[in-house]
Amino acid sequence: MTVLRAGKHAIDVTSPCVMGVVNVTADSFYDGGRLDPEAAIAYARRLCDDGARIIDVGGESTRPGAAPVDEAEELRRVVPIVAALARDDVCVSVDTMKPRVMRAALDAGAAMVNDVRALLAPDALAVAVASDAAICLMHMQGEPATMQRAPAYRDVVGEVRAFLLRRTQACIEAGIDRNRIVVDPGFGFGKSLAHNLDLLRNLGDIAALGFPVLAGLSRKSMIGAITGREAGDRLAGSIAAALAAAMHGARLLRVHDVRQTVDALAAWGAIESWPGSQKDRGKEQ
Ligand code: HH2
């Protein structure tokens, strides 16, 4: 059994599990506009009932062109949601690049830090070291505002893998247990469609680093580029991408559509004879 340690939670990642996205933003590319805390908490609880093992709470969109959110506003958005869900024993992840938001969320009970900058901001690594939370290290080329203008690599899989290896080593040297670390190639973060597909096909090379791999493909523009559909109409493409990621070794799937993805994984898991379907595992825990 492979277990990810996230605060008091031990998440069995022997087979793929689902992280549900809860954005508390005005402008996230798909689920923006949910700024009311009670609505966000109720929505997150529904995602848990639908089978999400982790809830990822974010207060600032990273889509190109999104308005930056100042620290005080991000804290106002995120901390009450994290606190309410943690009180319910939900495994809560905070999706932030800001060390002070990480710290406040951890104090409020977050069990995971999901940082699209892979703890490169000053103090971010120290905040992570001082906690017992799981840490998701993601690769991004450039900055959110401009990252999609002209992404360029000599060897996208090799470069992403080398970056993630360096960041995992930095974390381990700083004192973070390896069973708390998750890696993520960062689909859509400074990558063309060809780069994303290359990474997806070769996700096994990233998994070979020895850490659970998180894949965030849900409703992203690469699904739009493939299907010709707008974000609201990318469910089928997103499920196909989630299954492909799982098939290539992803163990955490960051998705907006939890119920549908859990069902798709349960069906595929039953066919592949995984030990217990996703839904059964949710009930046991
Ligand atoms: N993608 C988004 C945000 N955070 N974190 C990780 N680890 N991996 C991802 O692929 C990832 C992420 C973007 O999706 P979303 O949160 O739905 O949109 P927005 O940034 O517009 O809020």
Short mmCIF file of all heavy atoms in Angstrom, two decimals, residues 21 23 25 27-31 56 60-63 95 114-116 136 138 184 186-187 189 214-218 220 254 256, ligand 1:
data_model
loop_
_atom_site.label_atom_id
_atom_site.label_comp_id
_atom_site.label_asym_id
_atom_site.label_seq_id
_atom_site.Cartn_x
_atom_site.Cartn_y
_atom_site.Cartn_z
N VAL A 21 -11.98 20.36 -6.66
CA VAL A 21 -11.58 21.77 -6.73
C VAL A 21 -12.70 22.65 -6.17
O VAL A 21 -13.85 22.54 -6.61
CB VAL A 21 -11.33 22.18 -8.20
CG1 VAL A 21 -10.96 23.66 -8.30
CG2 VAL A 21 -10.26 21.30 -8.84
N ASN A 23 -12.89 26.61 -5.87
CA ASN A 23 -12.32 27.95 -6.01
C ASN A 23 -13.26 28.97 -5.40
O ASN A 23 -14.47 28.95 -5.66
CB ASN A 23 -12.08 28.27 -7.50
CG ASN A 23 -10.85 27.55 -8.02
OD1 ASN A 23 -9.80 27.57 -7.38
ND2 ASN A 23 -10.97 26.91 -9.17
N THR A 25 -13.27 32.37 -5.84
CA THR A 25 -12.71 33.47 -6.64
C THR A 25 -13.84 34.10 -7.46
O THR A 25 -14.91 33.50 -7.63
CB THR A 25 -11.65 32.96 -7.63
OG1 THR A 25 -12.29 32.07 -8.56
CG2 THR A 25 -10.51 32.23 -6.93
N ASP A 27 -13.12 34.88 -10.64
CA ASP A 27 -12.75 34.76 -12.05
C ASP A 27 -12.03 33.47 -12.43
O ASP A 27 -11.31 33.46 -13.43
CB ASP A 27 -11.87 35.96 -12.41
CG ASP A 27 -10.64 36.07 -11.50
OD1 ASP A 27 -10.52 35.26 -10.55
OD2 ASP A 27 -9.81 36.94 -11.75
N SER A 28 -12.17 32.39 -11.66
CA SER A 28 -11.55 31.13 -12.10
C SER A 28 -12.12 30.74 -13.46
O SER A 28 -13.28 31.05 -13.75
CB SER A 28 -11.82 30.02 -11.08
OG SER A 28 -11.00 30.23 -9.95
N PHE A 29 -11.32 30.06 -14.26
CA PHE A 29 -11.73 29.89 -15.66
C PHE A 29 -13.01 29.05 -15.80
O PHE A 29 -13.75 29.20 -16.75
CB PHE A 29 -10.58 29.31 -16.50
CG PHE A 29 -10.41 27.82 -16.36
CD1 PHE A 29 -11.05 26.95 -17.25
CD2 PHE A 29 -9.64 27.27 -15.36
CE1 PHE A 29 -10.91 25.57 -17.14
CE2 PHE A 29 -9.51 25.90 -15.23
CZ PHE A 29 -10.14 25.05 -16.12
N TYR A 30 -13.29 28.19 -14.83
CA TYR A 30 -14.51 27.37 -14.93
C TYR A 30 -15.49 27.64 -13.79
O TYR A 30 -16.67 27.87 -14.03
CB TYR A 30 -14.16 25.88 -15.00
CG TYR A 30 -15.38 25.00 -14.94
CD1 TYR A 30 -16.35 25.07 -15.94
CD2 TYR A 30 -15.61 24.13 -13.88
CE1 TYR A 30 -17.50 24.30 -15.89
CE2 TYR A 30 -16.75 23.35 -13.82
CZ TYR A 30 -17.69 23.44 -14.82
OH TYR A 30 -18.83 22.68 -14.76
N ASP A 31 -14.99 27.58 -12.54
CA ASP A 31 -15.94 27.67 -11.42
C ASP A 31 -15.80 28.98 -10.65
O ASP A 31 -16.03 29.04 -9.45
CB ASP A 31 -15.78 26.46 -10.48
CG ASP A 31 -14.44 26.45 -9.76
OD1 ASP A 31 -13.50 27.11 -10.24
OD2 ASP A 31 -14.34 25.79 -8.71
N ASP A 56 -9.46 20.85 -2.51
CA ASP A 56 -8.42 21.86 -2.78
C ASP A 56 -9.10 23.23 -2.85
O ASP A 56 -9.85 23.51 -3.78
CB ASP A 56 -7.76 21.53 -4.13
CG ASP A 56 -6.48 22.30 -4.36
OD1 ASP A 56 -5.75 22.57 -3.38
OD2 ASP A 56 -6.18 22.62 -5.53
N GLU A 60 -7.29 32.46 -5.44
CA GLU A 60 -6.74 33.32 -6.50
C GLU A 60 -6.62 32.49 -7.77
O GLU A 60 -5.99 31.43 -7.77
CB GLU A 60 -5.35 33.84 -6.09
CG GLU A 60 -4.71 34.75 -7.13
CD GLU A 60 -3.34 35.26 -6.71
OE1 GLU A 60 -2.61 34.54 -5.98
OE2 GLU A 60 -3.00 36.39 -7.11
N SER A 61 -7.20 32.98 -8.85
CA SER A 61 -7.09 32.25 -10.12
C SER A 61 -5.68 32.38 -10.69
O SER A 61 -5.04 33.42 -10.55
CB SER A 61 -8.10 32.81 -11.13
OG SER A 61 -7.87 32.25 -12.40
N THR A 62 -5.22 31.31 -11.33
CA THR A 62 -3.90 31.35 -11.98
C THR A 62 -4.04 31.41 -13.50
O THR A 62 -3.06 31.29 -14.21
CB THR A 62 -3.08 30.09 -11.62
OG1 THR A 62 -3.91 28.95 -11.80
CG2 THR A 62 -2.57 30.14 -10.20
N ARG A 63 -5.27 31.58 -13.99
CA ARG A 63 -5.41 31.60 -15.45
C ARG A 63 -4.75 32.85 -16.01
O ARG A 63 -4.76 33.90 -15.34
CB ARG A 63 -6.88 31.49 -15.86
CG ARG A 63 -7.66 32.74 -15.63
CD ARG A 63 -9.07 32.65 -16.17
NE ARG A 63 -9.86 33.76 -15.67
CZ ARG A 63 -9.78 35.00 -16.13
NH1 ARG A 63 -8.97 35.30 -17.12
NH2 ARG A 63 -10.50 35.98 -15.60
N ASP A 95 -4.68 25.86 -2.05
CA ASP A 95 -4.03 26.12 -3.35
C ASP A 95 -3.60 27.58 -3.35
O ASP A 95 -4.40 28.48 -3.61
CB ASP A 95 -5.07 25.85 -4.45
CG ASP A 95 -4.51 26.01 -5.85
OD1 ASP A 95 -3.31 26.36 -6.00
OD2 ASP A 95 -5.27 25.80 -6.81
N ASN A 114 -0.82 23.10 -1.72
CA ASN A 114 -0.70 22.89 -3.16
C ASN A 114 -0.16 24.19 -3.76
O ASN A 114 -0.89 25.19 -3.85
CB ASN A 114 -2.08 22.55 -3.74
CG ASN A 114 -2.08 22.50 -5.25
OD1 ASN A 114 -1.03 22.29 -5.88
ND2 ASN A 114 -3.22 22.72 -5.85
N ASP A 115 1.12 24.17 -4.15
CA ASP A 115 1.77 25.41 -4.57
C ASP A 115 2.21 25.30 -6.03
O ASP A 115 3.14 24.54 -6.34
CB ASP A 115 2.97 25.70 -3.67
CG ASP A 115 3.67 27.00 -4.04
OD1 ASP A 115 3.14 27.74 -4.89
OD2 ASP A 115 4.74 27.28 -3.47
N VAL A 116 1.61 26.09 -6.90
CA VAL A 116 1.98 26.04 -8.31
C VAL A 116 3.39 26.59 -8.54
O VAL A 116 3.94 26.44 -9.63
CB VAL A 116 0.95 26.77 -9.22
CG1 VAL A 116 -0.43 26.13 -9.10
CG2 VAL A 116 0.89 28.26 -8.93
N CYS A 136 2.26 19.61 -2.43
CA CYS A 136 2.26 19.35 -3.87
C CYS A 136 3.16 20.35 -4.56
O CYS A 136 2.94 21.56 -4.49
CB CYS A 136 0.84 19.43 -4.43
SG CYS A 136 0.84 19.11 -6.22
N MET A 138 4.47 21.73 -8.00
CA MET A 138 4.05 21.74 -9.41
C MET A 138 5.06 22.46 -10.28
O MET A 138 5.69 23.43 -9.84
CB MET A 138 2.68 22.43 -9.53
CG MET A 138 1.98 22.12 -10.85
SD MET A 138 0.66 23.28 -11.23
CE MET A 138 1.61 24.66 -11.85
N ASP A 184 3.70 17.26 -9.59
CA ASP A 184 2.67 17.59 -10.58
C ASP A 184 3.35 18.26 -11.77
O ASP A 184 4.04 19.28 -11.59
CB ASP A 184 1.65 18.53 -9.91
CG ASP A 184 0.54 18.98 -10.85
OD1 ASP A 184 0.62 18.74 -12.06
OD2 ASP A 184 -0.42 19.60 -10.34
N GLY A 186 2.08 20.06 -13.98
CA GLY A 186 1.52 21.39 -14.25
C GLY A 186 0.95 21.54 -15.65
O GLY A 186 1.37 22.41 -16.41
N PHE A 187 -0.06 20.72 -15.95
CA PHE A 187 -0.67 20.81 -17.29
C PHE A 187 -1.23 22.22 -17.51
O PHE A 187 -1.95 22.77 -16.65
CB PHE A 187 -1.79 19.77 -17.42
CG PHE A 187 -1.27 18.36 -17.48
CD1 PHE A 187 -1.36 17.52 -16.38
CD2 PHE A 187 -0.66 17.89 -18.64
CE1 PHE A 187 -0.85 16.22 -16.43
CE2 PHE A 187 -0.16 16.59 -18.70
CZ PHE A 187 -0.25 15.76 -17.59
N PHE A 189 0.40 25.01 -17.58
CA PHE A 189 1.18 26.08 -16.95
C PHE A 189 2.47 26.30 -17.73
O PHE A 189 3.52 25.74 -17.42
CB PHE A 189 1.48 25.74 -15.49
CG PHE A 189 0.29 25.91 -14.57
CD1 PHE A 189 -0.67 24.91 -14.46
CD2 PHE A 189 0.11 27.08 -13.84
CE1 PHE A 189 -1.77 25.05 -13.64
CE2 PHE A 189 -0.98 27.23 -13.01
CZ PHE A 189 -1.93 26.22 -12.90
N LEU A 214 0.20 14.08 -9.15
CA LEU A 214 -1.11 14.73 -9.25
C LEU A 214 -1.25 15.25 -10.67
O LEU A 214 -0.30 15.83 -11.23
CB LEU A 214 -1.21 15.87 -8.24
CG LEU A 214 -2.54 16.61 -8.13
CD1 LEU A 214 -2.73 17.13 -6.69
CD2 LEU A 214 -2.66 17.78 -9.08
N ALA A 215 -2.42 15.04 -11.26
CA ALA A 215 -2.68 15.57 -12.60
C ALA A 215 -3.92 16.47 -12.55
O ALA A 215 -4.97 16.05 -12.08
CB ALA A 215 -2.89 14.44 -13.60
N GLY A 216 -3.74 17.69 -13.04
CA GLY A 216 -4.85 18.65 -13.11
C GLY A 216 -5.15 18.97 -14.56
O GLY A 216 -4.47 19.79 -15.18
N LEU A 217 -6.13 18.27 -15.11
CA LEU A 217 -6.46 18.44 -16.53
C LEU A 217 -7.88 18.96 -16.70
O LEU A 217 -8.27 19.37 -17.80
CB LEU A 217 -6.34 17.08 -17.23
CG LEU A 217 -4.92 16.51 -17.31
CD1 LEU A 217 -4.94 14.99 -17.21
CD2 LEU A 217 -4.26 16.94 -18.61
N SER A 218 -8.62 18.96 -15.60
CA SER A 218 -10.07 19.16 -15.65
C SER A 218 -10.47 20.45 -16.36
O SER A 218 -10.12 21.54 -15.92
CB SER A 218 -10.58 19.17 -14.20
OG SER A 218 -11.97 19.30 -14.14
N LYS A 220 -9.53 22.06 -18.75
CA LYS A 220 -8.52 23.03 -19.18
C LYS A 220 -8.57 23.27 -20.68
O LYS A 220 -9.15 22.50 -21.44
CB LYS A 220 -7.13 22.55 -18.74
CG LYS A 220 -6.93 22.78 -17.25
CD LYS A 220 -5.50 22.58 -16.81
CE LYS A 220 -5.39 22.95 -15.32
NZ LYS A 220 -4.13 22.53 -14.73
N ARG A 254 -6.98 16.02 -9.89
CA ARG A 254 -7.59 17.29 -9.42
C ARG A 254 -8.69 17.66 -10.41
O ARG A 254 -8.39 18.01 -11.55
CB ARG A 254 -6.50 18.37 -9.36
CG ARG A 254 -6.99 19.72 -8.83
CD ARG A 254 -5.87 20.74 -8.86
NE ARG A 254 -6.29 22.01 -8.31
CZ ARG A 254 -6.96 22.92 -9.00
NH1 ARG A 254 -7.27 22.73 -10.25
NH2 ARG A 254 -7.31 24.05 -8.42
N HIS A 256 -12.94 19.20 -11.24
CA HIS A 256 -14.14 19.93 -10.86
C HIS A 256 -15.33 18.98 -10.72
O HIS A 256 -16.20 19.19 -9.90
CB HIS A 256 -14.46 20.99 -11.92
CG HIS A 256 -13.35 21.97 -12.16
ND1 HIS A 256 -12.40 21.80 -13.14
CD2 HIS A 256 -13.02 23.11 -11.51
CE1 HIS A 256 -11.55 22.81 -13.10
NE2 HIS A 256 -11.89 23.61 -12.12
N1 HH2 B 1 -4.46 23.88 -11.99
C1 HH2 B 1 -5.12 24.99 -11.59
C2 HH2 B 1 -4.95 25.47 -10.28
N2 HH2 B 1 -4.16 24.83 -9.40
N3 HH2 B 1 -2.73 23.03 -8.88
C3 HH2 B 1 -2.08 21.94 -9.24
N4 HH2 B 1 -1.31 21.27 -8.38
N5 HH2 B 1 -2.20 21.41 -10.52
C4 HH2 B 1 -2.96 22.03 -11.47
O1 HH2 B 1 -3.01 21.52 -12.62
C5 HH2 B 1 -3.67 23.22 -11.10
C6 HH2 B 1 -3.52 23.70 -9.77
C7 HH2 B 1 -6.02 25.70 -12.54
O2 HH2 B 1 -7.35 25.25 -12.43
P1 HH2 B 1 -8.48 26.02 -11.63
O3 HH2 B 1 -8.14 26.14 -10.17
O4 HH2 B 1 -9.79 25.36 -11.90
O5 HH2 B 1 -8.55 27.45 -12.31
P2 HH2 B 1 -8.11 28.89 -11.84
O6 HH2 B 1 -6.62 28.91 -11.70
O7 HH2 B 1 -8.62 29.80 -12.94
O8 HH2 B 1 -8.78 29.19 -10.51
#
